[in-house]
Amino acid sequence: MTKSIDPKKKADLKKRTDLKKQVSQAIAACQDKKAEEITILEMDRDSGAFTDYFVVCSGTNAKQIQSISDAVEDRLEAAGHRPVNKEGYKQAEWVLLDYLNFVVHIFTEKARKYYDLERLWKTAKRLEPGELKAVRHRAVGAAKKRA
């Protein structure tokens, strides 16, 4: 006898899978533009964080930082997602793209060291870009096996 998945759990799994897909798309856009030191922070639910993930990366100059930002926006917009907030684009020291459930931070090396988000959010789980995709596939596969 096959056990069906609770519709609420199924919807939550789909939402988490979609979110991870969006974050993966943002990461791929950063990689395409040769962003440096890409880090993904999976925020701890008890940390008081206002989002689920931070994507943090660096660019070597203002043009590259803007190019990374443009690539993230273009890729996600093609998938139907637009940031609810965008800050710092003109100055290109720290560009922030807020997609509600995740935030992309693109820094100069100097600004990244100064603000040190990885230290500030040290309770967050650090993921490598490839890990996010692996987690997504495992979660989907596990749900299919249970279905």
Side-chain angles (χ1 to χ4, degrees), residues 11-75:
D12 185 51
L13 178 62
K14 182 178 180 350
K15 182 181 174 187
R16 284 184 285 144
T17 301
D18 289 346
L19 173 58
K20 289 178 182 179
K21 184 177 179 181
Q22 292 171 40
V23 175
S24 292
Q25 290 173 331
I27 293 164
C30 293
Q31 290 170 325
D32 288 350
K33 295 300 179 179
K34 309 294 187 225
E36 298 179 350
E37 298 181 57
I38 300 171
T39 302
I40 302 97
L41 300 176
E42 184 176 28
M43 308 311 281
D44 183 13
R45 294 182 189 264
D46 297 329
S47 70
F50 49 87
T51 191
D52 296 322
Y53 294 95
F54 278 176
V55 175
V56 183
C57 67
S58 301
T60 56
N61 58 57
K63 287 288 185 196
Q64 184 191 21
I65 290 168
Q66 290 171 336
S67 179
I68 294 166
S69 175
D70 292 342
V72 171
E73 282 191 88
D74 291 346
R75 184 161 305 195

